[in-house]
Amino acid sequence: MKGILDLDDVRPYLFNKETESLSLRKLMKAPPAIINPENKTQEILQIFDDTGYWNLPVVDGNKHFIGFISKSAILIGYRQLLKLYSE
C-alpha cells in the first residue's frame, strides 16, 4: 500500500483542465492508522475511536492492501449479535 485518496482530496482537480496531468501519487496521503488482520475487534474499535475515522485500510504483514474495514460494519455486526442473543 502506497497511500490513500479521499474524494475530498481529488474533487478540486476533477474538472480543472489545468491539472489534467496531475499525478494521483502526489495527492495520496498516509492513512491515519492501518488495521492488521490479526487485530482483535476491541483493538480495531479503539483505533477507530482514537483516529475519529470510520473507514481504515487493512494491510497484511508485507504491507499489501487487503481492503477497507468500516466502523459501521463492526457495529452492525455487534448489534445483530446482541439481537440474536436477546431473543
Side-chain angles (χ1 to χ4, degrees):
M1 184 168 124
K2 303 290 184 185
I4 60 172
L5 287 171
D6 285 348
L7 180 57
D8 292 336
D9 297 333
V10 177
R11 188 177 289 120
Y13 303 100
L14 285 177
F15 301 108
N16 187 340
K17 292 184 181 201
E18 295 175 12
T19 58
E20 285 181 15
S21 63
L22 181 66
S23 170
L24 292 180
R25 213 175 267 271
K26 292 180 182 179
L27 296 176
M28 285 191 298
K29 59 186 176 188
I34 293 175
I35 304 298
N36 186 289
E38 284 78 35
N39 287 124
K40 297 191 181 325
T41 305
Q42 289 179 335
E43 294 171 330
I44 296 170
L45 287 172
Q46 186 62 53
I47 294 169
F48 278 121
D49 288 344
D50 291 346
T51 63
Y53 277 69
W54 281 79
N55 295 293
L56 290 171
V58 179
V59 177
D60 68 15
N62 295 321
K63 297 187 178 183
H64 293 129
F65 176 72
I66 297 172
F68 279 94
I69 187 166
S70 72
K71 184 177 182 179
S72 59
I74 293 173
L75 296 176
I76 288 169
Y78 177 69
R79 197 174 314 130
Q80 289 171 343
L81 281 174
L82 283 176
K83 192 175 176 182
L84 180 69
Y85 287 112
S86 66
E87 293 177 350

